[in-house]
Amino acid sequence: MSESWPQPRAQPWPHPRQRAWVEVNEDALEANARSLCRSLAPGSALMAVVKADGYGHGAVPVARAAAAGGARCFGVATLQEGVELRQAGLSQPVLVLGNLTHPDELRACLHWQLMPTLSGMREALLCQNLAAGSGRAMAVHLKLDTGMARLGAPWQEGQRLVEAIAALEAVELAGVYSHLADADAPGDGLDPLTQRQQQHFDAVLSGLRQAGLPSGCRHLANSAATLRSPGLHYDLVRVGLALYGHRPAAHLGGELALQPAMQVRARVSLIRTVSAGVGVSYGHRFTTSRPSRLAVLGIGYADGVPRLLSNRLQVLFQGRPVPQVGAITMDQMVLDATDVPELDQGAVVTLLGEDGGARIDPLAWSEPCGTIPWEILCGFKHRLPRLPLQALRQPDGGGQG
Ligand SMILES: *Cc1c(COP(=O)(O)O)cnc(C)c1O
């Protein structure tokens, strides 16, 4: 490898021999954050959920773009994800959505000014002990389980817990929240499960009000709930998928102009011409029915393209669909380019995102795989460099040829 070979994260454009990459449209992320902020109920703010490396887009650039678009704070799943934001110099409030139980983890939260999610009194007391000696209060959010049966204390215990936490002088209750299990359910209006979860959440909040107890910032909504009803917005909404430009369900968010922020591209590494009757890739799951022109791409399931899409995937070349044929392998796949004679070695095709006025959405992958767009987006591996689209468009940006 020559010295000019780029470090994947150091070079903002694809090297002429880069086989595949992910382009991230930071302007789209910023615009999505701005549209979301405009759609919120008065008094409600946007938390950009940037866990799982910003749903595969890169947590730090996503966080920066979301903040520029009006996001007030960030949500991450793990302690390490929170530390990554701090090390990048981001100073906005960060809530760790996952459960931290070890004193070392909570001590790190205090050190890095990350807010842990508490599901009970044990962690609240640990926070009190850690913060009491430190001279600064530790901000926490209390999570209540209103019908998801994952994290959170039973909502019936909400008021008692808030009371107990309020008595800890080194702990600041910065928020009370819950998470909805079925906010993207089909149909107009709120589905019965969401209604029931909201009733439980409201019951706790009104109990707190009557008892004169603090709740801090109240929040309940993910993307689906945010798009579904302003009545679910409270003081804050925790938005992931919609920030990245995708609607959680076809019936939600049609009125918002959300732009998908990710494009996945790959380069043709070889063109072959073969006769009719030739079996392609492992297991010969495709056999040519005519003399064919095959194009090999340097991207495979180890990069995050599900092998389940073998023989079912299409890519775009200058806006035209080109079918993938045979088994998708770990590092490569084959296209049938017989009807696309312009597709040559070195040409760039689009697996996900925009190309020549056409677009492929993660839904086109998730549905045949029996999964959801969230899993497709966060499935792209770090073997694919993340490249900011704005840098690619600079006149001296190296081009995409
Ligand atoms: C991941 C997550 C979100 C964001 O969900 P989207 O559906 O992507 O908007 C919100 N809240 C919690 C607790 C989460 O874990």
Side-chain angles (χ1 to χ4, degrees), residues 39-346:
S39 76
L40 297 184
S44 182
L46 174 66
M47 169 188 283
V49 177
V50 301
K51 62 190 179 185
D53 201 25
Y55 290 40
H57 297 63
V60 168
V62 169
R64 290 214 174 96
R72 203 75 64 73
C73 54
F74 306 122
V76 296
T78 69
L79 178 59
Q80 206 45 51
E81 289 174 345
V83 172
E84 186 189 354
L85 298 181
R86 289 289 178 252
Q87 286 178 327
L90 291 153
S91 58
Q92 288 86 347
V94 174
L95 175 63
V96 180
L97 301 163
N99 203 31
L100 304 178
T101 55
H102 196 277
D104 288 348
E105 296 174 306
L106 295 165
R107 188 177 292 113
C109 280
L110 182 63
H111 174 78
W112 291 100
Q113 299 272 288
L114 307 170
M115 296 182 286
T117 290
L118 306 185
S119 287
M121 226 27 224
R122 179 185 164 273
E123 283 75 23
L125 290 168
L126 282 173
C127 291
Q128 163 67 21
N129 290 341
L130 291 165
S134 80
R136 51 158 96 131
M138 183 159 178
V140 303
H141 285 229
L142 174 65
K143 185 159 190 186
L144 301 174
D145 177 19
T146 55
M148 171 88 177
R150 200 175 59 173
L151 290 185
W155 64 273
Q156 297 90 337
E157 293 173 20
Q159 184 165 340
R160 187 183 62 74
L161 283 167
V162 169
E163 214 160 357
I165 292 170
L168 304 173
E169 77 279 7
V171 176
E172 178 206 339
L173 185 66
V176 171
Y177 78 103
S178 188
H179 193 45
L180 297 170
D182 206 18
D184 57 358
D188 292 334
L190 291 191
D191 59 286
L193 175 54
T194 301
Q195 281 181 34
R196 190 148 25 96
Q197 287 197 264
Q198 185 177 25
Q199 281 161 14
H200 296 333
F201 191 56
D202 284 343
V204 176
L205 296 178
S206 75
L208 296 180
R209 255 192 317 272
Q210 280 162 25
L213 288 164
S215 63
C217 170
R218 303 157 297 172
H219 48 115
L220 181 61
N222 54 7
S223 290
T226 302
L227 299 176
R228 182 142 221 160
S229 165
L232 297 168
H233 291 179
Y234 296 88
D235 300 319
L236 186 72
V237 296
R238 306 182 304 268
V239 177
L241 193 75
L243 173 66
Y244 302 97
H246 305 285
R247 298 193 276 149
H251 64 293
L252 294 175
E255 64 289 345
L256 276 191
L258 297 173
Q259 303 173 49
M262 178 189 282
Q263 340 285 323
V264 179
R265 312 221 200 258
R267 206 184 290 280
V268 174
S269 57
L270 188 67
I271 296 282
R272 325 256 329 255
T273 49
V274 299
S275 50
V278 168
V280 176
S281 190
Y282 292 122
H284 286 186
R285 289 167 60 185
F286 176 83
T287 302
T288 56
S289 59
R290 54 182 176 170
S292 297
R293 201 166 167 273
L294 302 178
V296 183
L297 294 184
I299 187 169
Y301 62 76
D303 298 292
V305 184
R307 186 173 172 279
L308 271 174
L309 291 176
S310 296
N311 275 321
R312 293 193 272 182
L313 185 71
Q314 293 197 323
V315 307
L316 295 171
F317 175 63
Q318 297 175 351
R320 293 160 63 189
V322 187
Q324 183 276 328
V325 293
I328 292 172
T329 70
M330 187 181 286
D331 319 299
Q332 300 177 74
M333 64 178 71
V334 180
L335 307 177
D336 181 355
T338 313
D339 299 325
V340 195
E342 311 90 310
L343 188 66
D344 263 327
Q345 187 171 319

